[in-house]
Amino acid sequence: MKQVRVVVVGAGQAGLSSAFHLLRRGYVPGRDFVVLDHAPGPGGAWQFRWPTLTYGKVHGMHALPGRELTGADPGRPSSEIISDYFADYEETFGLPVIRPVDVTSVSGTRGGRLLVETSRGPWTTEALINATGTWERPFQPRVPGRESFRGRQLHTVRYPGPEPFAGRRVIVVGGGTSAVQHLLEIAGTAAGTTWVTRRPPVFREDDFGEEQGRAAVALVEERVRDGLPPQSVVSATGLPMNEEMRQARESGVLDRLPMFHRITPGGVEWRDGRRIEADTLLWATGFRAVLGHLAPLRLREPGGGIRLDGTRTVRDPRIHLVGYGPSASTVGANRAGRAAVRDIDALLAGDGGGRPEAEASRAVPQSV
Protein backbone atom coordinates (compact mmCIF):
# COMPACT_ATOMS: atom_id res chain seq x y z
CA MET A 1 0.00 0.00 0.00
CA LYS A 2 1.47 3.34 -1.07
CA GLN A 3 1.45 6.36 1.27
CA VAL A 4 1.58 10.06 0.43
CA ARG A 5 0.52 13.22 2.18
CA VAL A 6 -1.83 14.49 -0.54
CA VAL A 7 -3.62 12.75 -3.39
CA VAL A 8 -4.95 14.82 -6.28
CA VAL A 9 -7.64 13.08 -8.32
CA GLY A 10 -7.80 14.39 -11.89
CA ALA A 11 -5.24 16.09 -14.15
CA GLY A 12 -7.35 18.72 -15.85
CA GLN A 13 -7.02 22.45 -15.20
CA ALA A 14 -8.00 22.17 -11.54
CA GLY A 15 -5.80 19.17 -10.81
CA LEU A 16 -2.69 20.57 -12.49
CA SER A 17 -3.17 23.92 -10.78
CA SER A 18 -3.39 22.14 -7.42
CA ALA A 19 -0.27 20.10 -8.19
CA PHE A 20 1.64 23.27 -9.15
CA HIS A 21 0.80 24.92 -5.83
CA LEU A 22 1.74 21.78 -3.88
CA LEU A 23 5.09 21.89 -5.67
CA ARG A 24 5.57 25.57 -4.85
CA ARG A 25 4.93 24.90 -1.18
CA GLY A 26 7.65 22.27 -1.12
CA TYR A 27 5.71 19.04 -1.43
CA VAL A 28 7.97 16.55 -3.19
CA PRO A 29 6.45 14.93 -6.31
CA GLY A 30 5.88 11.22 -5.90
CA ARG A 31 6.88 11.20 -2.24
CA ASP A 32 4.53 13.79 -0.75
CA PHE A 33 1.85 13.89 -3.44
CA VAL A 34 0.62 12.17 -6.59
CA VAL A 35 -1.92 13.05 -9.27
CA LEU A 36 -4.17 10.15 -10.32
CA ASP A 37 -5.75 10.70 -13.72
CA HIS A 38 -8.50 8.65 -15.36
CA ALA A 39 -7.78 9.89 -18.91
CA PRO A 40 -5.45 8.05 -21.31
CA GLY A 41 -3.26 11.11 -21.90
CA PRO A 42 -2.69 14.74 -20.91
CA GLY A 43 -5.35 17.31 -21.67
CA GLY A 44 -8.14 16.65 -19.19
CA ALA A 45 -11.57 16.80 -20.81
CA TRP A 46 -10.17 18.99 -23.58
CA GLN A 47 -8.64 15.96 -25.31
CA PHE A 48 -12.15 14.65 -26.03
CA ARG A 49 -13.60 17.81 -27.58
CA TRP A 50 -14.96 17.65 -31.12
CA PRO A 51 -12.49 18.48 -33.92
CA THR A 52 -14.32 21.57 -35.19
CA LEU A 53 -13.97 23.28 -31.80
CA THR A 54 -10.86 25.18 -32.79
CA TYR A 55 -8.78 27.14 -30.32
CA GLY A 56 -10.13 30.40 -31.73
CA LYS A 57 -13.66 29.35 -30.75
CA VAL A 58 -12.81 28.45 -27.16
CA HIS A 59 -14.61 30.67 -24.67
CA GLY A 60 -12.56 31.84 -21.70
CA MET A 61 -9.54 29.54 -21.66
CA HIS A 62 -7.22 30.74 -18.89
CA ALA A 63 -3.55 29.73 -18.70
CA LEU A 64 -2.31 27.40 -15.97
CA PRO A 65 -0.32 29.06 -13.18
CA GLY A 66 3.34 29.59 -13.90
CA ARG A 67 3.31 28.98 -17.65
CA GLU A 68 1.43 30.93 -20.31
CA LEU A 69 -0.01 29.38 -23.45
CA THR A 70 1.34 31.55 -26.28
CA GLY A 71 1.50 31.40 -30.06
CA ALA A 72 -1.38 28.95 -30.43
CA ASP A 73 -2.90 28.67 -33.91
CA PRO A 74 -6.56 29.74 -33.57
CA GLY A 75 -7.52 27.46 -36.46
CA ARG A 76 -6.12 24.32 -34.87
CA PRO A 77 -8.41 21.98 -32.84
CA SER A 78 -8.50 22.96 -29.18
CA SER A 79 -8.19 19.29 -28.24
CA GLU A 80 -4.72 19.20 -29.79
CA ILE A 81 -3.48 22.58 -28.57
CA ILE A 82 -4.54 22.19 -24.96
CA SER A 83 -3.47 18.54 -24.74
CA ASP A 84 0.00 19.56 -25.95
CA TYR A 85 0.02 22.48 -23.50
CA PHE A 86 -0.94 20.26 -20.56
CA ALA A 87 1.64 17.63 -21.55
CA ASP A 88 4.36 20.30 -21.68
CA TYR A 89 3.18 21.67 -18.32
CA GLU A 90 3.39 18.27 -16.64
CA GLU A 91 6.88 17.70 -18.03
CA THR A 92 8.21 21.18 -17.26
CA PHE A 93 7.28 21.01 -13.59
CA GLY A 94 7.87 17.28 -13.17
CA LEU A 95 4.36 16.70 -11.89
CA PRO A 96 3.77 13.13 -10.67
CA VAL A 97 0.79 12.27 -12.88
CA ILE A 98 -0.09 8.59 -13.02
CA ARG A 99 -2.47 7.44 -15.75
CA PRO A 100 -4.71 5.84 -16.61
CA VAL A 101 -5.98 5.23 -13.07
CA ASP A 102 -9.61 4.72 -12.02
CA VAL A 103 -10.28 5.91 -8.47
CA THR A 104 -13.10 3.67 -7.30
CA SER A 105 -13.65 4.82 -3.70
CA VAL A 106 -12.33 7.07 -0.95
CA SER A 107 -13.00 6.17 2.67
CA GLY A 108 -11.65 6.84 6.16
CA THR A 109 -9.30 4.61 8.12
CA ARG A 110 -8.84 4.05 11.83
CA GLY A 111 -5.57 5.92 11.79
CA GLY A 112 -7.19 9.10 10.58
CA ARG A 113 -5.87 8.76 7.05
CA LEU A 114 -7.91 8.39 3.90
CA LEU A 115 -7.93 5.17 1.93
CA VAL A 116 -8.00 5.73 -1.84
CA GLU A 117 -8.90 2.55 -3.74
CA THR A 118 -7.86 2.54 -7.39
CA SER A 119 -7.41 0.28 -10.39
CA ARG A 120 -3.68 0.34 -9.61
CA GLY A 121 -3.96 -0.54 -5.98
CA PRO A 122 -4.62 1.48 -2.80
CA TRP A 123 -3.05 4.70 -1.56
CA THR A 124 -3.39 6.21 1.88
CA THR A 125 -3.21 9.94 2.32
CA GLU A 126 -3.74 12.71 4.85
CA ALA A 127 -5.71 14.92 2.46
CA LEU A 128 -7.34 14.67 -0.95
CA ILE A 129 -8.00 17.25 -3.65
CA ASN A 130 -10.82 16.12 -5.91
CA ALA A 131 -10.52 17.60 -9.41
CA THR A 132 -12.54 15.08 -11.41
CA GLY A 133 -14.66 17.61 -13.30
CA THR A 134 -17.84 16.58 -15.11
CA TRP A 135 -16.97 15.18 -18.55
CA GLU A 136 -17.40 11.55 -17.51
CA ARG A 137 -20.95 12.18 -16.30
CA PRO A 138 -23.06 13.66 -19.13
CA PHE A 139 -26.59 14.59 -18.12
CA GLN A 140 -29.61 13.73 -20.23
CA PRO A 141 -33.08 14.55 -18.83
CA ARG A 142 -35.70 11.88 -18.58
CA VAL A 143 -38.42 12.49 -21.15
CA PRO A 144 -41.34 10.12 -21.80
CA GLY A 145 -40.93 8.10 -24.98
CA ARG A 146 -37.17 8.44 -25.24
CA GLU A 147 -36.71 4.70 -25.80
CA SER A 148 -39.22 4.69 -28.65
CA PHE A 149 -37.31 7.12 -30.89
CA ARG A 150 -36.28 5.44 -34.14
CA GLY A 151 -33.60 7.96 -35.04
CA ARG A 152 -30.22 8.70 -33.50
CA GLN A 153 -29.72 10.22 -30.06
CA LEU A 154 -26.38 11.51 -28.81
CA HIS A 155 -25.00 13.84 -26.17
CA THR A 156 -22.42 16.61 -26.55
CA VAL A 157 -19.87 14.19 -25.12
CA ARG A 158 -20.16 12.19 -28.38
CA TYR A 159 -20.62 15.11 -30.77
CA PRO A 160 -18.49 14.36 -33.89
CA GLY A 161 -18.73 17.68 -35.73
CA PRO A 162 -21.29 18.76 -38.36
CA GLU A 163 -20.61 16.37 -41.25
CA PRO A 164 -22.57 13.32 -39.97
CA PHE A 165 -25.71 15.51 -39.73
CA ALA A 166 -25.78 16.35 -43.44
CA GLY A 167 -29.28 16.04 -44.83
CA ARG A 168 -30.75 15.16 -41.43
CA ARG A 169 -33.50 16.86 -39.44
CA VAL A 170 -31.87 17.67 -36.12
CA ILE A 171 -33.33 18.83 -32.80
CA VAL A 172 -30.75 20.36 -30.47
CA VAL A 173 -31.76 20.42 -26.79
CA GLY A 174 -29.99 22.77 -24.38
CA GLY A 175 -29.53 26.45 -23.66
CA GLY A 176 -25.78 26.72 -23.14
CA THR A 177 -22.76 27.64 -25.20
CA SER A 178 -22.26 24.12 -26.53
CA ALA A 179 -25.84 23.95 -27.82
CA VAL A 180 -25.38 27.22 -29.72
CA GLN A 181 -22.05 26.09 -31.17
CA HIS A 182 -23.63 22.83 -32.35
CA LEU A 183 -26.54 24.67 -33.95
CA LEU A 184 -24.32 27.10 -35.81
CA GLU A 185 -22.27 24.23 -37.24
CA ILE A 186 -25.09 21.82 -38.02
CA ALA A 187 -27.29 24.45 -39.69
CA GLY A 188 -24.87 24.57 -42.59
CA THR A 189 -25.26 20.88 -43.45
CA ALA A 190 -28.55 19.63 -41.97
CA ALA A 191 -31.87 19.49 -43.78
CA GLY A 192 -33.35 21.42 -40.86
CA THR A 193 -32.63 22.30 -37.25
CA THR A 194 -34.85 23.00 -34.24
CA TRP A 195 -33.60 24.51 -31.00
CA VAL A 196 -35.32 23.54 -27.75
CA THR A 197 -34.49 24.88 -24.27
CA ARG A 198 -36.07 24.53 -20.86
CA ARG A 199 -35.80 28.27 -20.18
CA PRO A 200 -35.70 31.18 -22.63
CA PRO A 201 -32.03 31.85 -23.49
CA VAL A 202 -30.51 35.15 -22.40
CA PHE A 203 -28.14 36.73 -24.90
CA ARG A 204 -25.59 39.16 -23.52
CA GLU A 205 -24.89 42.12 -25.81
CA ASP A 206 -22.81 44.21 -23.39
CA ASP A 207 -19.27 43.67 -22.16
CA PHE A 208 -18.96 41.21 -19.30
CA GLY A 209 -16.69 42.75 -16.71
CA GLU A 210 -15.15 41.67 -13.45
CA GLU A 211 -18.08 42.93 -11.39
CA GLN A 212 -20.60 40.89 -13.38
CA GLY A 213 -18.34 37.86 -13.14
CA ARG A 214 -18.15 38.10 -9.36
CA ALA A 215 -21.94 38.40 -9.15
CA ALA A 216 -22.43 35.30 -11.29
CA VAL A 217 -19.97 33.26 -9.21
CA ALA A 218 -21.65 34.47 -6.01
CA LEU A 219 -24.94 32.93 -7.13
CA VAL A 220 -23.28 29.54 -7.53
CA GLU A 221 -21.40 29.91 -4.23
CA GLU A 222 -24.68 30.54 -2.42
CA ARG A 223 -26.10 27.24 -3.62
CA VAL A 224 -22.96 25.38 -2.56
CA ARG A 225 -23.02 26.99 0.90
CA ASP A 226 -26.63 25.86 1.25
CA GLY A 227 -25.72 22.27 0.39
CA LEU A 228 -27.54 22.31 -2.96
CA PRO A 229 -26.25 20.89 -6.24
CA PRO A 230 -24.35 23.68 -8.03
CA GLN A 231 -25.53 25.28 -11.23
CA SER A 232 -23.01 26.26 -13.85
CA VAL A 233 -21.49 29.72 -13.78
CA VAL A 234 -22.48 30.07 -17.45
CA SER A 235 -26.16 29.73 -16.53
CA ALA A 236 -25.83 32.92 -14.50
CA THR A 237 -23.92 34.90 -17.12
CA GLY A 238 -25.99 34.46 -20.26
CA LEU A 239 -24.76 33.74 -23.79
CA PRO A 240 -22.18 36.20 -25.14
CA MET A 241 -23.45 37.53 -28.48
CA ASN A 242 -21.07 37.68 -31.42
CA GLU A 243 -21.57 38.48 -35.09
CA GLU A 244 -22.03 34.84 -36.13
CA MET A 245 -24.72 34.35 -33.48
CA ARG A 246 -26.38 37.61 -34.45
CA GLN A 247 -26.67 36.47 -38.07
CA ALA A 248 -27.95 33.06 -36.98
CA ARG A 249 -30.64 34.69 -34.87
CA GLU A 250 -31.69 36.91 -37.76
CA SER A 251 -31.90 33.89 -40.10
CA GLY A 252 -34.02 31.91 -37.64
CA VAL A 253 -31.42 29.31 -36.66
CA LEU A 254 -31.54 30.54 -33.06
CA ASP A 255 -35.33 30.71 -32.84
CA ARG A 256 -36.02 28.78 -29.67
CA LEU A 257 -38.93 26.54 -28.72
CA PRO A 258 -39.85 25.49 -25.17
CA MET A 259 -39.12 21.98 -23.95
CA PHE A 260 -41.29 19.31 -25.55
CA HIS A 261 -43.50 17.02 -23.48
CA ARG A 262 -42.60 13.66 -24.97
CA ILE A 263 -40.57 11.91 -27.63
CA THR A 264 -42.32 9.98 -30.37
CA PRO A 265 -40.86 7.31 -32.68
CA GLY A 266 -40.45 9.94 -35.38
CA GLY A 267 -39.74 13.13 -33.44
CA VAL A 268 -41.06 15.13 -30.49
CA GLU A 269 -44.44 16.41 -29.31
CA TRP A 270 -45.62 19.27 -27.09
CA ARG A 271 -48.59 19.26 -24.70
CA ASP A 272 -50.68 21.31 -27.13
CA GLY A 273 -50.33 18.58 -29.77
CA ARG A 274 -47.69 20.26 -31.88
CA ARG A 275 -45.20 17.83 -33.42
CA ILE A 276 -41.86 18.11 -35.17
CA GLU A 277 -40.35 15.20 -37.05
CA ALA A 278 -36.65 14.51 -36.62
CA ASP A 279 -33.90 12.07 -37.53
CA THR A 280 -31.55 13.07 -34.71
CA LEU A 281 -31.86 14.33 -31.13
CA LEU A 282 -28.69 16.06 -29.93
CA TRP A 283 -28.69 16.56 -26.16
CA ALA A 284 -26.48 19.54 -25.24
CA THR A 285 -27.83 19.36 -21.72
CA GLY A 286 -24.69 19.60 -19.69
CA PHE A 287 -22.91 17.45 -17.16
CA ARG A 288 -22.91 16.59 -13.48
CA ALA A 289 -19.94 16.47 -11.13
CA VAL A 290 -18.09 13.14 -10.96
CA LEU A 291 -18.21 12.42 -7.22
CA GLY A 292 -19.40 8.83 -6.91
CA HIS A 293 -16.04 7.63 -5.56
CA LEU A 294 -16.51 9.93 -2.54
CA ALA A 295 -19.82 8.30 -1.54
CA PRO A 296 -18.33 6.26 1.38
CA LEU A 297 -17.49 9.55 3.12
CA ARG A 298 -21.17 10.64 3.18
CA LEU A 299 -20.44 14.22 2.21
CA ARG A 300 -23.82 15.06 0.68
CA GLU A 301 -26.34 17.27 2.42
CA PRO A 302 -30.12 16.65 2.47
CA GLY A 303 -30.43 19.12 -0.43
CA GLY A 304 -28.39 16.79 -2.63
CA GLY A 305 -25.19 18.83 -2.85
CA ILE A 306 -21.94 18.98 -0.92
CA ARG A 307 -21.58 21.94 1.40
CA LEU A 308 -18.26 23.75 1.02
CA ASP A 309 -16.31 26.25 3.08
CA GLY A 310 -14.11 27.67 0.35
CA THR A 311 -12.94 24.48 -1.34
CA ARG A 312 -13.07 22.39 1.85
CA THR A 313 -16.01 20.06 2.38
CA VAL A 314 -17.79 20.89 5.62
CA ARG A 315 -18.37 17.25 6.56
CA ASP A 316 -14.70 16.26 6.15
CA PRO A 317 -12.03 19.01 6.13
CA ARG A 318 -9.50 16.60 4.60
CA ILE A 319 -11.44 16.65 1.31
CA HIS A 320 -11.29 19.61 -1.07
CA LEU A 321 -13.31 20.03 -4.26
CA VAL A 322 -11.72 22.13 -7.00
CA GLY A 323 -13.29 22.76 -10.38
CA TYR A 324 -16.65 22.26 -8.66
CA GLY A 325 -19.50 24.75 -8.45
CA PRO A 326 -18.12 28.30 -8.29
CA SER A 327 -14.65 27.15 -9.39
CA ALA A 328 -15.92 25.28 -12.48
CA SER A 329 -14.09 27.57 -14.92
CA THR A 330 -10.46 27.70 -15.98
CA VAL A 331 -9.65 30.84 -13.99
CA GLY A 332 -11.77 29.62 -11.07
CA ALA A 333 -9.99 26.28 -11.07
CA ASN A 334 -6.60 28.01 -10.83
CA ARG A 335 -7.69 30.04 -7.82
CA ALA A 336 -9.35 27.06 -6.18
CA GLY A 337 -6.20 24.96 -6.56
CA ARG A 338 -4.17 27.61 -4.75
CA ALA A 339 -6.78 27.97 -2.00
CA ALA A 340 -7.07 24.22 -1.47
CA VAL A 341 -3.32 23.78 -1.10
CA ARG A 342 -3.10 26.69 1.34
CA ASP A 343 -5.81 25.14 3.54
CA ILE A 344 -4.33 21.65 3.34
CA ASP A 345 -0.92 23.02 4.29
CA ALA A 346 -2.45 24.62 7.38
CA LEU A 347 -4.37 21.43 8.21
CA LEU A 348 -1.33 19.19 8.00
CA ALA A 349 0.77 21.61 10.01
CA GLY A 350 -1.98 21.71 12.64
CA ASP A 351 -1.95 17.92 12.86
CA GLY A 352 1.71 18.05 13.80
CA GLY A 353 2.91 17.02 10.38
CA GLY A 354 4.73 20.28 9.79
CA ARG A 355 5.58 21.85 6.48
CA PRO A 356 7.49 19.84 3.86
CA GLU A 357 11.20 20.04 4.57
CA ALA A 358 11.98 21.16 1.05
CA GLU A 359 9.75 24.22 1.12
CA ALA A 360 12.44 26.79 1.75
CA SER A 361 14.80 25.52 -0.91
CA ARG A 362 12.77 23.87 -3.66
CA ALA A 363 13.01 25.86 -6.88
CA VAL A 364 10.36 26.30 -9.55
CA PRO A 365 11.77 25.98 -13.10
CA GLN A 366 13.19 29.31 -14.28
CA SER A 367 11.46 29.10 -17.66
CA VAL A 368 8.26 30.41 -16.15
Side-chain angles (χ1 to χ4, degrees):
M1 184 179 296
K2 297 170 279 291
Q3 295 188 12
V4 290
R5 305 197 73 193
V6 184
V7 166
V8 180
V9 185
Q13 184 98 13
L16 294 183
S17 172
S18 300
F20 172 85
H21 288 291
L22 284 166
L23 189 69
R24 288 197 66 181
R25 284 185 174 263
Y27 289 80
V28 177
R31 188 195 74 182
D32 293 329
F33 75 99
V34 293
V35 183
L36 307 180
D37 190 33
H38 168 77
W46 288 102
Q47 65 193 280
F48 306 114
R49 295 297 202 269
W50 53 98
T52 50
L53 181 61
T54 58
Y55 186 67
K57 296 180 181 178
V58 169
H59 175 63
M61 173 62 193
H62 196 82
L64 285 161
R67 192 167 183 82
E68 293 294 326
L69 172 55
T70 59
D73 179 358
R76 188 181 170 200
S78 60
S79 58
E80 297 177 3
I81 285 181
I82 298 176
S83 291
D84 289 348
Y85 171 53
F86 280 18
D88 174 73
Y89 192 85
E90 292 175 14
E91 182 179 358
T92 297
F93 294 107
L95 301 180
V97 181
I98 304 172
R99 62 169 61 92
V101 181
D102 295 326
V103 175
T104 54
S105 70
V106 181
S107 57
T109 68
R110 290 184 178 180
R113 296 175 68 87
L114 295 162
L115 176 63
V116 183
E117 296 280 3
T118 83
S119 58
R120 293 202 183 185
W123 268 264
T124 67
T125 183
E126 298 172 67
L128 182 138
I129 297 175
N130 193 81
T132 46
T134 63
W135 188 258
E136 297 293 331
R137 197 181 168 202
F139 171 71
Q140 186 171 327
R142 295 179 180 177
V143 181
R146 188 173 66 185
E147 296 78 10
S148 70
F149 186 63
R150 292 192 298 260
R152 182 187 184 192
Q153 296 189 63
L154 71 160
H155 188 276
T156 291
V157 74
R158 296 285 179 259
Y159 177 68
E163 289 79 8
F165 300 94
R168 315 297 288 178
R169 298 165 298 174
V170 184
I171 296 176
V172 178
V173 186
T177 304
S178 293
V180 172
Q181 289 176 343
H182 298 339
L183 275 164
L184 296 180
E185 289 191 346
I186 294 170
T189 63
T193 60
T194 302
W195 186 25
V196 175
T197 71
R198 188 160 55 94
R199 296 188 184 93
V202 177
F203 293 97
R204 194 179 72 241
E205 298 274 2
D206 57 340
D207 292 333
F208 192 75
E210 185 175 343
E211 183 178 348
Q212 293 91 335
R214 286 197 298 266
V217 170
L219 293 175
V220 183
E221 287 178 335
E222 184 177 356
R223 288 183 61 85
V224 169
R225 284 196 301 269
D226 292 341
L228 299 173
Q231 293 176 332
S232 69
V233 175
V234 174
S235 68
T237 63
L239 296 164
M241 179 65 69
N242 58 33
E243 185 57 32
E244 185 181 17
M245 291 169 61
R246 189 173 290 107
Q247 293 177 6
R249 190 165 63 171
E250 291 174 356
S251 68
V253 171
L254 294 184
D255 286 346
R256 165 261 180 191
L257 294 177
M259 188 63 189
F260 42 81
H261 171 59
R262 70 185 185 97
I263 299 172
T264 67
V268 299
E269 181 178 326
W270 283 260
R271 291 185 183 276
D272 62 5
R274 179 179 181 178
R275 291 190 175 196
I276 290 182
E277 299 299 307
D279 305 298
T280 304
L281 301 181
L282 175 53
W283 300 90
T285 43
F287 300 81
R288 298 293 182 265
V290 177
L291 300 172
H293 53 289
L294 301 179
L297 297 172
R298 301 181 182 275
L299 301 176
R300 290 196 181 275
E301 302 292 334
I306 296 178
R307 192 188 303 271
L308 298 183
D309 179 8
T311 63
R312 182 176 59 247
T313 65
V314 170
R315 289 179 178 260
D316 192 328
R318 299 171 297 178
I319 307 294
H320 287 253
L321 304 186
V322 296
Y324 173 84
S327 64
S329 66
T330 55
V331 63
N334 284 355
R335 294 169 179 167
R338 181 176 64 244
V341 170
R342 182 186 62 239
D343 284 357
I344 285 173
D345 203 39
L347 173 71
L348 299 187
D351 286 344
R355 297 286 292 277
E357 61 189 33
E359 180 184 10
S361 60
R362 184 168 182 84
V364 175
Q366 295 301 309
S367 62
V368 302

